[in-house]
Amino acid sequence: MDTKLMTKKVYEKLENIVIIGNGGRENSLAWAIQKNKQVQKIYLIPGNGGSEKIKKCQTLNLDYENKNLLLQTLNSLEIDLIIIGPEIPLANGLGNFLRSKNFQVFGPDSDGAKLESSKSWAKSFMRKANIPTSKFWKVSSVKESEQIISASPFPLVVKADGLASGKGVFIPETKEETQQITKEIINGKFGESGKVVLLEEKIEGPEISIFALCDGKKYILLPSAQDHKRIEENDKGLNTGGMGAYSPTPILTKSELSKICKEIIEPTINELIKRNIEYKGVLYFGLMITKSGPKVIEYNCRFGDPECQTIMPLMDINFVNILYKCAIGNLNGDEELLSSSKVSGCVIAASEGYPENYDIGFPISFNHKECEDVQIFHSGTSKDKGGKVITDGGRVLSIVCQGKDFDSAFNMAYKVLKNINFDGIYYRRDIGHQVRKNYCKDL
Ligand code: AMP
Ligand code: GLY
């Protein structure tokens, strides 16, 4: 069959796009999608203070959990594709709802989102499909946890089973601390999300984020990325949503990647198919490359943030067509994604105090313009009554730059950051240290 003709038919209309979410991730998706000439309008629901500076973008300030209102709005807009960014609406079944109303949706139904919304479910899934991961024990009472902690090897990683905005994972230093944090979680530290606690064997090695765009049966991979989870330089301090990233990751060799496809990605997709879960969206594999091979740390049912901001500028103009093909279950599996051979780096500017308490509402001054190879994606921002952009979250801006190598990409990102300011701005100076040849620890 002539695939070009088939492709043309599939893409007959891809003019109006909706993106659900309000972060840097959603803005970077919009930025990559607007490059495509077919696209006329992108609605971000609700978007943030920087969404409307992206070409073709308009924010719709409505609560997407209000399904009647959402439906009414969508029906008035002739929407061709809906992309759901964050995990909470996916876990709550927004994908199911929109599909039941005949929209084309990129983002799994709640059954597929369970890979992220229940860590213990995901672990049993991996065990069933023989996917390499760390050993684990599931507990739901303090007594049970005491028995397991005292009988298990140390150290253990403690995780709230449900969604906890990236804050539900602990790596305690002693058995007593392990017991203490387990008890706090079971007793309600994360509400319902901590009713079940997962105790995991601690494994070691570099971490990598892999993203598979799935159409329910086939998949294609985005370039790999490496996140920086900890708040402080030298990977110290509390876990965050991610303080910066780079892509692609040179530590992943071709043979390592093909091993990951064979041992992890394909068995995951096959197990989903076996369970009649039609996964149409991005499947995020958080991997650790251990001495005994790659292992899954976690699955997520959405693009990583800030990995998404880092990867999007590398995408070809047809990226939106590929998302659409996933939504309608029509991927070939060999589509081209990359637009260039450049590399990309992202540094997050956060509010002082994040990931714990921080203030919001500070005006942001930008003395640097975006240009080719420099994007400033807004993460936690909004506009005040006078239309001025102010801080409105823990992670405020994602500064993303591309270059022929990581030194030039990150040098540019840090140069841009010198020209951006708000009260309490904080960013790590060592993002990309793994790949910067001229990186100096004392910068
Ligand atoms: P998660 O939210 O599950 O991605 O966990 C947050 C971070 O905790 C990961 O990026 C790892 O750095 C660390 N982590 C999670 N599980 C383990 C494990 N079993 N062994 C070692 N580190 C882990
Ligand atoms: N950057 C990690 C995440 O999105 O979960």
Side-chain angles (χ1 to χ4, degrees):
M1 191 181 306
D2 186 336
T3 48
K4 272 201 184 129
L5 271 181
M6 206 171 84
T7 306
K8 196 157 179 228
K9 197 159 179 218
V10 166
Y11 299 155
E12 246 164 19
K13 190 169 171 299
L14 200 45
E15 292 174 3
N16 298 323
I17 316 286
V18 161
I19 303 178
I20 304 275
N22 69 348
R25 169 181 51 207
E26 288 76 23
N27 282 333
S28 68
L29 286 166
W31 184 88
I33 288 171
Q34 57 77 26
K35 289 194 203 166
N36 188 300
K37 285 210 177 83
Q38 294 170 87
V39 173
Q40 303 295 317
K41 191 93 190 174
I42 304 169
Y43 300 95
L44 286 113
I45 305 180
N48 65 29
S51 302
E52 289 192 346
K53 77 180 172 75
I54 302 167
K55 280 188 201 145
K56 305 181 189 174
C57 287
Q58 181 183 333
T59 58
L60 296 177
N61 192 13
L62 65 95
D63 173 13
Y64 53 72
E65 297 291 357
N66 182 340
K67 295 209 171 99
N68 284 336
L69 182 61
L70 179 63
L71 187 59
Q72 215 180 340
T73 309
L74 295 175
N75 281 337
S76 67
L77 295 174
E78 288 189 39
I79 297 303
D80 302 308
L81 174 67
I82 302 175
I83 299 157
I84 306 176
E87 63 278 17
I88 294 178
L90 289 166
N92 289 344
L94 188 57
N96 309 56
F97 173 73
L98 294 172
R99 285 192 177 93
S100 76
K101 303 294 176 195
N102 297 321
F103 288 101
Q104 303 298 353
V105 181
F106 182 88
D109 283 348
S110 54
D111 54 1
K114 221 168 168 190
L115 283 175
E116 176 166 0
S117 66
S118 171
K119 288 183 189 289
S120 61
W121 190 84
K123 280 290 207 181
S124 307
F125 177 102
M126 286 184 250
R127 185 182 269 169
K128 186 86 204 339
N130 220 357
I131 292 165
T133 188
S134 57
K135 291 195 192 98
F136 70 100
W137 299 263
K138 181 178 160 184
V139 297
S140 45
S141 76
V142 175
K143 197 162 169 225
E144 205 182 349
S145 70
E146 277 168 358
Q147 285 164 357
I148 288 179
I149 293 167
S150 64
S152 305
F154 182 79
L156 290 173
V157 179
V158 183
K159 299 185 176 181
D161 183 56
L163 297 177
S165 310
K167 293 179 184 162
V169 176
F170 298 86
I171 308 182
E173 308 227 315
T174 62
K175 276 206 174 193
E176 291 67 39
E177 257 181 70
T178 312
Q179 188 57 67
Q180 181 58 31
I181 188 64
T182 307
K183 195 169 154 187
E184 282 175 30
I185 299 175
I186 290 175
N187 287 340
K189 190 178 171 77
F190 296 104
E192 286 290 305
S193 286
K195 275 199 142 176
V196 170
V197 170
L198 210 60
L199 298 166
E200 282 184 23
E201 163 205 17
K202 184 171 182 264
I203 53 177
E204 276 176 15
E207 286 180 54
I208 286 189
S209 309
I210 302 271
F211 301 94
L213 305 177
C214 308
D215 76 343
K217 290 188 184 71
K218 293 189 183 152
Y219 72 96
I220 49 174
L221 294 182
L222 291 177
S224 57
Q226 190 158 29
D227 189 9
H228 297 65
K229 291 255 183 198
R230 304 296 191 96
I231 188 70
E232 288 167 28
E233 279 148 35
N234 301 314
D235 298 318
K236 297 258 161 46
L238 293 173
N239 261 325
T240 69
M243 294 301 293
Y246 66 86
S247 174
T249 53
I251 61 162
L252 201 61
T253 60
K254 258 195 172 165
S255 74
E256 194 93 64
L257 185 61
S258 83
K259 190 175 157 79
I260 289 169
C261 290
K262 253 200 220 113
E263 293 180 6
I264 294 176
I265 298 173
E266 281 151 26
T268 300
I269 291 172
N270 290 339
E271 183 66 20
L272 286 165
I273 293 170
K274 240 193 225 168
R275 295 179 186 218
N276 288 323
I277 297 176
E278 203 174 32
Y279 196 104
K280 291 174 169 172
V282 60
L283 187 42
Y284 166 156
F285 298 82
L287 304 180
M288 201 169 254
I289 312 299
T290 71
K291 282 199 180 119
S292 56
K295 292 188 176 173
V296 178
I297 291 267
E298 63 164 351
Y299 290 120
N300 291 316
C301 61
R302 50 166 177 90
F303 290 102
D305 182 332
E307 294 97 316
C308 187
Q309 294 92 303
T310 315
I311 295 169
M312 283 306 111
L314 303 175
M315 292 295 102
D316 182 74
I317 51 167
N318 290 322
F319 176 66
V320 65
N321 301 121
I322 292 168
L323 299 187
Y324 186 70
K325 283 174 133 196
C326 290
I328 63 170
N330 194 25
L331 214 52
N332 294 333
D334 59 0
E335 286 86 348
E336 287 294 324
L337 277 169
L338 289 183
S339 68
S340 77
S341 58
K342 285 182 184 158
V343 301
S344 185
C346 166
V347 182
I348 294 285
S351 301
E352 186 179 7
Y354 173 78
E356 296 192 292
N357 300 330
Y358 54 84
D359 292 324
I360 57 171
F362 299 114
I364 307 173
S365 66
F366 297 92
N367 293 312
H368 203 293
K369 286 230 158 49
E370 291 182 62
C371 52
E372 204 192 332
D373 293 343
V374 177
Q375 304 83 37
I376 303 171
F377 295 124
H378 290 218
S379 295
T381 72
S382 60
K383 285 186 180 165
D384 67 11
K385 280 187 190 141
K388 188 155 178 39
V389 177
I390 53 173
T391 66
D392 197 15
R395 291 186 292 168
V396 178
L397 299 169
S398 313
I399 316 303
V400 191
C401 295
Q402 295 77 52
K404 63 179 189 334
D405 55 34
F406 287 110
D407 279 329
S408 51
F410 279 105
N411 286 346
M412 179 56 92
Y414 283 107
K415 195 169 146 199
V416 173
L417 269 163
K418 284 205 174 108
N419 295 313
I420 291 178
N421 210 0
F422 54 86
D423 268 14
I425 187 170
Y426 168 79
Y427 52 89
R428 275 179 60 167
R429 261 89 174 156
D430 67 340
I431 303 297
H433 60 86
Q434 308 88 331
V435 286
R436 283 154 66 186
K437 286 204 183 74
N438 295 323
Y439 172 69
C440 163
K441 265 193 162 183
D442 303 321
L443 268 183

